[in-house]
Amino acid sequence: QLVESGGGSVQPGESLRLSCVATEFVYSSPCMGWLRQSPGQGRERVAAITKDGITAYLDSVKGRFTISQDHTKRTLYLQMDNLKPEDSAVYYCAADPGGYCHRPENFDYLGQGSQVTVSS
């Protein structure tokens, strides 16, 4: 229902873009976002976007990451610039059918996960 692409390994300061295509039903969720989880850590909400384009970001990624969406393609994106080693994690595309959008637990639908590794 959510199919991701675009993860990989990069050096600090480089960029990656994650993409996620959703089925029509899942894409109808009022809020979609990207979550991440690194080993031994809890899942955190990196960025979220409502259907009318209101966005929210984790403080540590503000100014470096940009979430966007293409309604015609039912696709969600996460542009990640100036990546840092602490950004290394598995990233999950996610949808929140309830529209709360605030906490990772609100996102009921998850993609398969994409590994992002930032290392010199």
Side-chain angles (χ1 to χ4, degrees), residues 6-120:
S9 296
V10 296
Q11 296 188 343
E14 294 186 340
S15 299
L16 279 175
R17 188 175 82 155
L18 302 179
S19 300
C20 170
V21 180
T23 59
E24 185 172 359
F25 173 75
V26 173
Y27 195 77
S28 68
S29 299
C31 176
M32 296 190 69
W34 292 93
L35 313 179
R36 72 184 181 189
Q37 187 166 21
S38 44
Q41 302 295 319
R43 195 169 289 168
E44 56 184 359
R45 189 200 71 175
V46 177
I49 187 168
T50 64
K51 275 296 170 284
D52 54 3
I54 298 172
T55 59
Y57 295 93
L58 185 68
D59 283 347
S60 63
V61 308
K62 285 180 180 177
R64 301 188 296 119
F65 290 14
T66 304
I67 188 171
S68 61
Q69 58 194 354
D70 185 334
H71 296 318
T72 64
K73 297 180 180 179
R74 297 198 308 272
T75 301
L76 186 71
Y77 302 99
L78 184 67
Q79 177 67 39
M80 303 182 290
D81 297 322
N82 190 21
L83 281 159
K84 302 178 180 181
E86 52 264 41
D87 295 319
S88 298
V90 177
Y91 284 70
Y92 298 91
C93 175
D96 171 12
Y100 300 103
C101 222
H102 297 303
R103 301 186 300 173
E105 306 88 87
N106 296 144
F107 293 83
D108 292 336
Y109 301 107
L110 297 181
Q112 79 275 19
S114 299
Q115 178 68 49
V116 171
T117 302
V118 186
S119 173
S120 55

